[in-house]
Amino acid sequence: MRTVYPILRYPDPRAAIDWLCSAFGFQAHAVHETPDGSIAHAELVLDTGMIMLGGRADAPPRPAADDWSVYVAVPDVDAHCAQARAAGAEIIREPFDTDYGSRDYAARDLAGTVWSFGTYRP
């Protein structure tokens, strides 16, 4: 059972859902709309992980590459990176091998959020 759910805010949640599914391989689990059709809340899954997202009217400053990121374990880092790149993700760290046996890479999404992907599963 999941116990941690990162919550991300996007200026255009509908575009974020489409992009995160296309670029990073998420699948929409639940999308709740307001009466006017905008996204109130969404849940996206990837393997056993889940994120939640919603909208925001104002865009905060773009985080620096080392401020924070969401880490997602994936089975094939190189294929995942290629999929993200093809969908327009800004790859901020190319795939690399760590000294603790993981293969990782980092990317920014369409709103500037930093994501780290790798084979490490604690």
Side-chain angles (χ1 to χ4, degrees):
M1 175 174 269
R2 300 173 189 99
T3 59
V4 178
Y5 304 85
I7 300 171
L8 306 169
R9 301 281 177 212
Y10 291 92
D12 184 345
R14 192 170 307 282
I17 292 166
D18 292 343
W19 193 88
L20 291 167
C21 290
S22 172
F24 294 158
F26 281 94
Q27 294 180 339
H29 174 72
V31 178
H32 303 280
E33 297 181 351
T34 63
D36 70 0
S38 61
I39 304 294
H41 172 80
E43 299 165 359
L44 305 181
V45 295
L46 180 65
D47 194 16
T48 60
M50 178 182 281
I51 63 167
M52 295 187 278
L53 66 87
R56 69 164 187 257
D58 59 334
R62 189 170 161 156
D66 61 352
D67 282 349
W68 63 278
S69 70
V70 178
Y71 184 87
V72 180
V74 297
D76 186 338
V77 167
D78 295 284
H80 194 274
C81 181
Q83 175 182 336
R85 187 185 322 274
E90 175 190 354
I91 307 303
I92 59 174
R93 187 147 190 214
E94 293 291 335
F96 65 99
D97 295 319
T98 70
D99 58 357
Y100 50 87
S102 183
R103 183 149 177 85
D104 295 353
Y105 85 96
R108 285 189 192 274
D109 68 18
L110 72 170
T113 302
V114 177
W115 293 76
S116 294
F117 296 93
T119 57
Y120 182 70
R121 291 181 184 257

